[in-house]
Amino acid sequence: MTVDVGVIGVGSMGGNHARVYAELPDANLVGIADANVDRAEEVAGEFGTTAYAVDELIDRVDAASVAVPTQYHADVAGACIDAGVHVLVEKPFVDSPEAGRELLRRADEADVTVQVGHIERFSPAVTELSRIVRDVSPIAIDARRLGPPTDEERSIDDGVVHDLMIHDLDVVRSLVPGEVVEINALCTDDGQHANAQLRFDDGTDASLTASRVTQKKVRDLTITAESCYIELDYLMQDLEIHRQSRPEYMKVEGNVRYQHEGITERPMIRSGEPLRFELESFVESVANGTVPRVTGADGLRAIELADAVRERARGNDGVRSRGDGRITSGVNR
């Protein structure tokens, strides 16, 4: 089944959505829409499709990517949902948990699929890591997402927690089956560098650092487990597993020597573009009526966690644990 798709908002990220949809055999890129008419015409011409007004595009498609600025996510995604159009909403899902809950309520009533664009979940290295983690018992997770701002990031209004750290909040949540019960956080006054410590109800600890001022680009995640130490490099799409080894005594030239060698495994990582995997998964979910890998509920939980980290960093005592074990913020409740 071919799914008629559109892209609403064709800045840098939305333009890439249009490019990938144009390449997917199971997607038919019907058109794109953008508040900047010249940009819309330019992208439409590049990928052999048509530029429409938002409401016109919604009337013509089965599904759409929403890649407008975050403050407009709820309105644009809501218009799609009310028209019965399935949506992939770029991260962060919405600008408030209340807006997210209302969108999910409407999507449930309309039987519409909502996927959130946490693209790191579709990184081949993360996909392999998710498989590996099922067989180990994580004790601690450390994630770093650092570097100077790109030209695109210089114009982003979201602070570093909601723009960068939210990727790792989502990935860590996907790796740990428990819920977050405690948060501590610090952030610079300008919101460009932040660190957060999370405690899960199963005892797993996580430390996350995000920065737009570090003068070296770093994207990595490590897991300390009872039986191994795992290193993931997002930039290289590389994964290493360091296993425990047994010490032994060897006799060399008549002398007894102690030897303790580490065992390092390097799993084969599938090659490919994470965005392509993400959009393929979305189109497949729409075509088959299956649950997407990153649901609207996942996107909402990531927003709740990011809000809680931000408020804790500000010294707000409204951050608390709900009765169901999930951390939420007293702000905007």
Side-chain angles (χ1 to χ4, degrees):
M1 171 183 173
T2 301
V3 177
D4 289 337
V5 300
V7 180
I8 304 173
V10 286
S12 178
M13 195 64 193
N16 281 317
H17 279 239
R19 170 183 59 80
V20 173
Y21 280 134
E23 298 171 352
L24 293 183
D26 294 329
N28 173 34
L29 181 60
V30 170
I32 57 93
D34 195 278
N36 184 329
V37 177
D38 290 339
R39 172 64 178 168
E41 293 286 356
E42 176 188 352
V43 175
E46 184 176 358
F47 300 113
T49 189
T50 306
Y52 293 104
V54 172
D55 56 348
E56 293 177 326
L57 180 61
I58 289 173
D59 286 342
R60 288 170 165 79
V61 297
D62 304 313
S65 285
V66 175
V68 297
T70 305
Q71 63 265 36
Y72 304 117
H73 282 187
D75 288 342
V76 175
C80 292
I81 289 168
D82 292 344
V85 172
H86 307 282
V87 288
L88 187 158
V89 185
E90 265 302 334
K91 68 84 196 163
F93 178 30
V94 284
D95 57 6
S96 75
E98 290 82 4
R101 284 190 283 273
E102 174 62 15
L103 278 183
L104 296 184
R105 183 193 65 77
R106 288 156 63 183
D108 185 59
E109 289 182 354
D111 194 25
V112 163
T113 296
V114 177
Q115 180 170 317
V116 179
H118 283 285
I119 194 171
E120 293 292 26
R121 292 267 212 110
F122 296 88
S123 157
V126 172
T127 299
E128 180 64 16
L129 178 63
S130 299
R131 184 190 64 79
I132 293 167
V133 165
R134 297 179 197 141
D135 298 322
V136 303
S137 299
I139 296 170
I141 301 176
D142 291 274
R144 299 184 301 168
R145 193 166 293 267
L146 319 172
T150 63
D151 290 339
E152 180 186 2
E153 287 173 338
R154 292 178 198 277
S155 63
I156 291 175
D157 293 331
D158 297 321
V160 73
V161 172
H162 286 74
D163 180 45
L164 296 181
M165 186 182 288
I166 197 168
H167 283 294
D168 297 309
L169 289 168
D170 176 68
V171 169
V172 170
R173 270 204 68 258
S174 74
L175 297 174
V176 181
E179 296 289 349
V180 176
V181 294
E182 184 179 347
I183 292 177
N184 290 296
L186 294 171
C187 187
T188 55
D189 290 341
D190 61 3
Q192 299 302 296
H193 185 99
N195 176 264
Q197 293 81 43
L198 314 181
R199 166 62 62 89
F200 286 80
D201 58 9
D202 67 351
T204 304
D205 292 325
S207 176
L208 295 79
T209 302
S211 177
R212 288 201 191 107
V213 297
T214 306
Q215 296 306 309
K216 177 182 178 182
K217 189 171 183 178
V218 177
R219 301 283 190 274
D220 62 19
L221 181 146
T222 64
I223 296 177
T224 300
E226 293 180 359
S227 60
C228 62
Y229 179 73
I230 304 171
E231 295 179 287
L232 182 152
D233 187 324
Y234 287 102
L235 299 178
M236 300 300 295
Q237 283 298 300
D238 182 59
L239 192 61
E240 291 188 350
I241 308 169
H242 303 269
R243 303 282 186 185
Q244 291 181 352
S245 61
R246 294 181 178 179
E248 62 178 346
Y249 291 89
M250 301 179 62
K251 193 170 185 178
V252 180
E253 297 179 352
N255 297 316
V256 176
R257 294 185 179 178
Y258 174 81
Q259 176 175 286
H260 193 166
E261 294 183 352
I263 300 172
T264 301
E265 300 173 13
R266 294 181 174 84
M268 292 292 294
I269 304 298
R270 176 187 182 188
S271 62
E273 181 184 8
L275 181 60
R276 184 182 181 92
F277 296 144
E278 180 181 58
L279 298 189
E280 282 177 338
S281 178
F282 175 55
V283 169
E284 181 180 351
S285 292
V286 170
N288 299 328
T290 55
V291 177
R293 187 186 302 182
V294 184
T295 65
D298 290 328
L300 177 58
R301 292 189 188 104
I303 287 292
E304 290 178 332
L305 273 178
D307 281 358
V309 167
R310 180 184 60 194
E311 297 310 317
R312 178 61 77 191
R314 291 173 175 173
N316 191 312
D317 292 332
V319 177
R320 61 183 184 272
S321 174
R322 287 168 41 150
D324 60 5
R326 285 167 50 195
I327 285 287
T328 62
S329 170
V331 177
N332 297 326
R333 290 282 174 187

